[in-house]
Amino acid sequence: MQIVLLAEAIQPPLTGIGRYAWELAQGLRNERSVERTAFISSGRWVSYEALAGNLSRSEHGVGEQGRFSRHLSALKNRLKDRLREFHAIAPAFEKSRQLVCGARLLRLKGQPDTVVHGPNYFASPSDFPTVVTFHDLSTFLYPETHPRSRVLRVEVMLKTAIREGFTIITDAQCTANDLVATMGVAANKVHAVHLGVSSSFRPLDVRESEPVLARYGLTHGAYTLSVGTAEPRKNLVRLLDAYEALPSDIRSAFPLVLVGGKGWNDGPLLQRIERGIASGWVRTSGYVPEADLPFLYGGARLFVYVSVYEGFGLPIAEAMACGTPVLTSNTSSMPEVAAGAALLVNPNDTEEIREGLRQALQDDDWRAEAARQGLVRASELSWGKTVAETIAVYRKMLRGK
């Protein structure tokens, strides 16, 4: 079996989808039944070593060369995003990507047992069995939480997948159900494969965490953490409203720490954050290196993730793996990911979020049990399992071609 992985998402800094694609890339290379894994990124063939080197230089680079690598990658990503923002050309942009990718795949014409996998919604029509991962349906179910251009681009991707008969992988069963129920996708074309948690996310000794936390001005057990891009779907404005409504002594003892990169339509949110910072109960760190995340998760008294909608919600599983109690939403995939180990609230009800925060920060018995159950749940989610179940989908496609 030969796999062609469309690897455009494997760009520093790795976000959730980039992490998923990179874990697939590593797992496929180590799988004996996979004879070869090839990669296409930005319309050209690239090697595994080039992908790995780019990530390594960005994450671990030191001095001017390391900083230049990070800045150059960020600039390229911003330029791509700006190009995709133009509503009028968004569908044409996606169709041009399909043409370029399809032309690259012609090089493999006639090679048997080849599967093409697009891990980031996108795949090109070709003569090969093709699987595409749709991580969520938020552009269809909550289009107001995305730029119009993104909605149009994802619409082209899904129409292509349905028309071409691609097999679709989702991160959670609830998304698979939505594809069948609301998008008309045949049930036998959809497979739910849960994401995994890296072994670096684990309970850490307080002494291990202190040097990293000190760099961020944090104290172990004395803050609430939220991780996610600053965009409307993450529901951060409502979280801030709920946090501000807590008693002042709770806010003072456990300030809310927001970690994540800048997103779309974040102007009102940034103003709201500035007010919280000025009042002393909000702190921000922007994007942080992945190597620091286990320490930030593990040092938090509570992890809160009250997104309106998620296709999986990987930070929930990562926080649980670090032994941190979790408060999350009772919608979409988040109850499926938490599997009974988190406190669930209605993300559209500020008062319910506030009460959930109060309980989660003050109820030590609940916190101890949530931490225990979270570790059990996180142990059930591994990238090795994700890769194995994905390969099973490939095999099924090849048997049925």
Side-chain angles (χ1 to χ4, degrees), residues 112-176:
D113 295 336
T114 297
V115 172
V116 178
H117 185 177
N120 187 21
Y121 301 89
F122 169 84
S124 171
S126 72
D127 294 333
F128 300 107
T130 299
V131 58
V132 60
T133 302
F134 270 75
H135 297 277
D136 64 65
L137 297 180
S138 59
T139 56
F140 299 96
L141 302 177
Y142 298 91
E144 70 279 4
T145 66
H146 293 278
R148 178 62 179 162
S149 57
R150 185 185 301 165
V151 174
L152 294 172
R153 289 190 293 107
V154 177
E155 182 179 1
V156 170
M157 296 177 198
L158 182 58
K159 285 182 176 179
T160 300
I162 295 173
R163 183 184 68 245
E164 299 294 327
F166 295 163
T167 293
I168 298 176
I169 287 177
T170 62
D171 299 340
Q173 187 61 48
C174 74
T175 307

Side-chain angles (χ1 to χ4, degrees), residues 105-320:
L105 291 171
L106 287 175
R107 189 179 101 178
L108 304 177
K109 190 172 183 179
Q111 296 189 21
D113 295 336
T114 297
V115 172
V116 178
H117 185 177
N120 187 21
Y121 301 89
F122 169 84
S124 171
S126 72
D127 294 333
F128 300 107
T130 299
V131 58
V132 60
T133 302
F134 270 75
H135 297 277
D136 64 65
L137 297 180
S138 59
T139 56
F140 299 96
L141 302 177
Y142 298 91
E144 70 279 4
T145 66
H146 293 278
R148 178 62 179 162
S149 57
R150 185 185 301 165
V151 174
L152 294 172
R153 289 190 293 107
V154 177
E155 182 179 1
V156 170
M157 296 177 198
L158 182 58
K159 285 182 176 179
T160 300
I162 295 173
R163 183 184 68 245
E164 299 294 327
F166 295 163
T167 293
I168 298 176
I169 287 177
T170 62
D171 299 340
Q173 187 61 48
C174 74
T175 307
N177 295 342
D178 285 341
L179 275 168
V180 174
T182 65
M183 301 297 167
V185 178
N188 65 347
K189 284 291 186 179
V190 186
H191 303 270
V193 177
H194 283 162
L195 304 185
V197 182
S198 169
S199 59
S200 62
F201 294 97
R202 58 184 176 82
L204 296 166
D205 184 87
V206 175
R207 288 173 296 180
E208 291 181 83
S209 302
E210 281 179 344
V212 176
L213 296 183
R215 284 197 275 110
Y216 293 94
L218 300 174
T219 301
H220 193 282
Y223 60 93
T224 297
L225 180 69
S226 185
V227 175
T229 305
E231 60 183 18
R233 183 163 53 95
K234 300 302 180 180
N235 204 30
L236 293 176
V237 170
R238 195 170 279 118
L239 171 60
L240 288 163
D241 288 344
Y243 218 88
E244 187 172 34
L246 289 170
S248 60
D249 59 331
I250 296 179
R251 283 186 281 121
S252 297
F254 310 111
L256 176 63
V257 177
L258 302 177
V259 169
K262 294 190 65 176
W264 167 74
N265 195 23
D266 59 2
L269 170 61
L270 296 180
Q271 293 177 8
R272 186 73 183 78
I273 289 172
E274 286 301 322
R275 295 211 315 266
I277 292 174
S279 298
W281 54 271
V282 174
R283 301 183 190 179
T284 61
S285 65
Y287 174 82
V288 304
E290 184 167 339
D292 289 353
L293 279 177
F295 300 95
L296 294 177
Y297 280 127
R301 183 173 180 85
L302 174 70
F303 178 72
V304 58
Y305 198 75
V306 289
S307 178
V308 172
Y309 174 93
E310 291 291 330
F312 189 78
L314 189 55
I316 297 170
E318 292 172 344
M320 287 179 170

